[in-house]
Each structure stands twice: as structure tokens, then as C-alpha cells.
Amino acid sequence: MIKNTPKYIITGGAGFIGSHLVEHLVKKNRKVVVIDNLSTGRLENLKEFKGKIKFIKCDISKKGKWMNEFKGQFYVFHLAALADIVPSIQSPKKYFESNVTGTLNILEASRQGKIKKILYSASSSCYGIPTRYPTN
């Protein structure tokens, strides 16, 4: 690990996109903390980086000790979310807690931890069901 190298938190880091971001940052000798509840992500996606990252299994919709990880970090990539339109209509409370309350908790932890930058990513499902393909 390079001294004074930027430190990164990746929520949803065990998912498809998150694990590729983890791979990229690890190859650049960055300190990486992955936060994931493994509801859609898989530890198998991170097995190559065992011992090179810190993994925290938790639910970001619930405040907890995981929020302390934000102190001393530089950047947050917030990729954790539940996607898919139909299930969100069928279980709106579950999706609200995960996506809205979880994001609020990430923002609050970032504010308290004095994070320099946050990158938020969402799926195209946040735009609803398109009338035309490809979508703008």
C-alpha cells in the first residue's frame, strides 16, 4: 500500500459493477472498504481481493457501526441499491428503506466523516418504464 494513497468506500461493492470498481482500485494500490449486505452482490465477486480490501456486511438502511468507516476516507462510490421496477411497485417500503433511507445514511456518514467526494450511481430503472428504446 502506498503511503497517503486515497482511500475509497464502495457501497454495493460485491455486485457486478462494484466488484469491477474494486478490482480497478486494488490494481492501483488503493485502500478499499466494501460495504454490502449481499442481497444481490456475492462474496465470490471479491474472492480475488481477499486480504487486499476490508469487507463489511451490513444494511445501510440501518444506522450502525459501519458509519464509523467513513472517518479518514477520501471518496465514496455509492452503488448500493435495489433495482427493478415491478418489484419496487410490489414492495415499495422495502425499496424506499434500501434506496432512500440507505442513501440518506450514506450521505450523513459522509458528512460526519468529512468525505471529499461522493459518486452516486443508479440504474436506468429510476426513470420508469420507457416508451421508446433506446432511452435518452
Side-chain angles (χ1 to χ4, degrees):
M1 191 76 52
I2 300 170
K3 193 174 181 175
N4 295 326
T5 183
K7 302 171 191 172
Y8 299 84
I9 289 180
I10 304 172
T11 67
F16 178 76
I17 294 171
S19 63
H20 283 84
L21 179 57
V22 169
E23 177 181 21
H24 174 76
L25 293 171
V26 166
K27 284 181 178 178
K28 292 200 171 281
N29 294 315
R30 302 301 193 237
K31 180 180 177 187
V32 176
V33 176
V34 172
I35 296 176
D36 203 302
N37 68 1
L38 301 176
S39 65
T40 58
R42 299 180 358 222
L43 277 178
E44 181 180 309
N45 292 340
L46 300 173
K47 69 181 177 186
E48 181 180 337
F49 316 112
K50 192 174 183 176
K52 296 178 182 176
I53 64 169
K54 181 174 184 178
F55 177 80
I56 300 169
K57 182 180 178 191
C58 67
D59 181 349
I60 62 169
S61 72
K62 313 244 184 304
K63 291 183 178 183
K65 292 180 182 179
W66 62 267
M67 297 174 87
N68 295 329
E69 290 296 325
F70 286 65
K71 293 180 183 112
Q73 303 298 329
F74 285 37
Y75 306 105
V76 173
F77 289 90
H78 180 37
L79 309 177
L82 290 176
D84 294 327
I85 298 166
V86 174
S88 73
I89 294 167
Q90 296 167 337
S91 304
K93 185 176 185 221
K94 175 182 173 183
Y95 277 68
F96 184 89
E97 288 173 357
S98 177
N99 298 348
V100 178
T101 304
T103 297
L104 179 62
N105 288 341
I106 293 298
L107 293 172
E108 182 61 21
S110 296
R111 185 184 65 77
Q112 289 176 0
K114 298 182 178 13
I115 296 294
K116 294 182 189 261
K117 293 197 180 201
I118 301 170
L119 181 131
Y120 169 76
S121 179
S123 77
S124 62
S125 63
C126 70
Y127 299 111
I129 300 170
T131 56
R132 282 187 301 164
Y133 291 95
T135 57
N136 294 342

